[in-house]
Amino acid sequence: MFHTIIHTDQLASKLEDPSIRIIDCRFSLADKEWGREQYAQGHIPGAQYVHLDDDLSAEIIPGTTGRHPWLSIDSICSLFSRLGISNDTQIVVYDQSHSGIAARFWAMALSVGHEQVCVLNGGWKQWNATDLPISTHVKSYEQSNFLASPPMLSLINVDDLTSLDTIIDARTEKRYKGIEEPIDPIAGHVPNAINIPFLGNVDENHLWLSKEELVKRFSKVQGASGIYCGSGVTACHDLIAMKHAGLELPSLYPGSWSHYITDANRPVVSEST
């Protein structure tokens, strides 16, 4: 079983395996239909498309939730059942390249106790680069009855987060420092947060760093008990990196920065000049 990362050649050899479900998570904040359109133009054979807003997020309540509210356990189980994922299924998830969106699905699986889930190294970009099969056929699967097991990833709320001594912020350095904020209305970071930008987990081709490199990268946040990002998506990328490196996983604050700033009384640290 694959628990963190699978390479393109490994997946290509398993396309006919009936125990595998491939999930296409391509998505763009700038054009929310882009991923669905790209999927229709071509995808990995057998892959099913899921949309970050429509499938992987709960209802947004302005002023109350973040931008991508976490689904309930029942909702995740319902989604997995609709996709034909059972408790013994190997899930392979990919997005356009860096796995920042695919990571959300990976973490959702862990949160309902399903460890047989991995992301495709280099995503769709790498699959195309290696001239592997592409399909426009939308394959359907018989609905399953996925049942939640004890979680392998713990979730925490904002009060839990702010009580921790060391927290990981997975956003870009400029967003963390409050120098720029292209998405949320308030810039800065949570007190006690240390910045480990998720894109640093991969190289310039969006291929994952070695386990040894990842261990070194996260050495400055040893003992961190919580992690967040902008909306509970790319923090999951840091979580994959940590699990792949054999490190203990911190608890995810799924509401993340976009939820944290819904209360103006919560302290914000900004390093902008």
Side-chain angles (χ1 to χ4, degrees):
M1 290 293 182
F2 296 86
H3 298 152
T4 52
I5 297 164
I6 189 172
H7 302 295
T8 52
D9 59 336
Q10 293 173 316
L11 177 58
S13 70
K14 297 179 179 297
L15 291 180
E16 302 302 320
D17 188 336
S19 67
I20 288 180
R21 294 293 179 269
I22 305 171
I23 307 299
D24 185 321
C25 289
R26 283 177 283 177
F27 183 82
S28 170
L29 288 172
D31 180 358
K32 296 187 177 183
E33 289 306 306
W34 174 85
R36 206 188 311 269
E37 292 165 358
Q38 292 296 306
Y39 171 81
Q41 293 174 22
H43 50 262
I44 296 175
Q48 302 175 85
Y49 183 74
V50 295
H51 190 277
L52 176 60
D53 288 349
D54 298 343
D55 300 310
L56 306 186
S57 303
E59 180 185 2
I60 295 174
I61 303 173
T64 301
T65 68
R67 286 182 282 108
H68 294 111
W70 197 263
L71 291 173
S72 67
I73 291 175
D74 286 347
S75 294
I76 294 174
C77 290
S78 178
L79 171 67
F80 283 16
S81 295
R82 175 168 63 83
L83 295 170
I85 295 170
S86 62
N87 291 82
D88 59 356
T89 297
Q90 171 70 66
I91 307 171
V92 179
V93 198
Y94 70 93
D95 58 29
Q96 50 265 43
S97 55
H98 52 53
S99 301
I101 309 299
R104 167 77 165 218
F105 197 103
W106 177 89
M108 286 168 50
L110 262 63
S111 75
V112 292
H114 192 79
E115 193 177 21
Q116 300 98 267
V117 58
C118 61
V119 298
L120 178 63
N121 195 12
W124 175 251
K125 179 181 177 181
Q126 183 67 13
W127 186 266
N128 264 328
T130 46
D131 197 29
L132 290 166
I134 294 172
S135 175
T136 57
H137 174 65
V138 179
K139 189 171 182 178
S140 59
Y141 297 88
E142 183 177 351
Q143 179 158 323
S144 64
N145 182 29
F146 183 89
L147 301 174
S149 300
M152 299 172 179
L153 171 66
S154 61
L155 307 179
I156 55 175
N157 60 36
V158 66
D159 294 328
D160 294 329
L161 183 84
T162 53
S163 69
L164 301 177
D165 292 331
T166 306
I167 307 162
I168 299 172
D169 183 320
R171 297 173 300 161
T172 64
E173 183 180 17
K174 287 185 176 180
R175 290 185 69 195
Y176 166 80
K177 289 184 174 181
I179 296 172
E180 66 178 25
E181 181 46 72
I183 304 173
D184 294 308
I186 298 174
H189 63 263
V190 177
N192 298 329
I194 297 173
N195 191 212
I196 307 287
F198 81 96
L199 279 175
N201 299 322
V202 294
D203 65 17
E204 63 275 10
N205 296 313
H206 291 153
L207 299 174
W208 290 79
L209 301 183
S210 69
K211 294 181 180 181
E212 294 75 18
E213 289 171 311
L214 291 172
V215 167
K216 182 178 179 180
R217 186 159 197 267
F218 285 89
S219 61
K220 66 179 180 180
V221 290
Q222 286 185 354
S225 300
I227 187 169
Y228 73 94
C229 55
S231 63
V233 178
T234 55
C236 303
H237 197 279
D238 273 4
L239 290 171
I240 295 176
M242 296 178 78
K243 185 172 177 64
H244 189 61
L247 304 175
E248 184 176 351
L249 296 186
S251 298
L252 173 66
Y253 167 37
S256 286
W257 184 250
S258 58
H259 172 261
Y260 183 84
I261 59 174
T262 58
D263 185 342
N265 293 318
R266 293 181 185 135
V268 169
V269 178
S270 177
E271 300 176 28
S272 59
T273 57

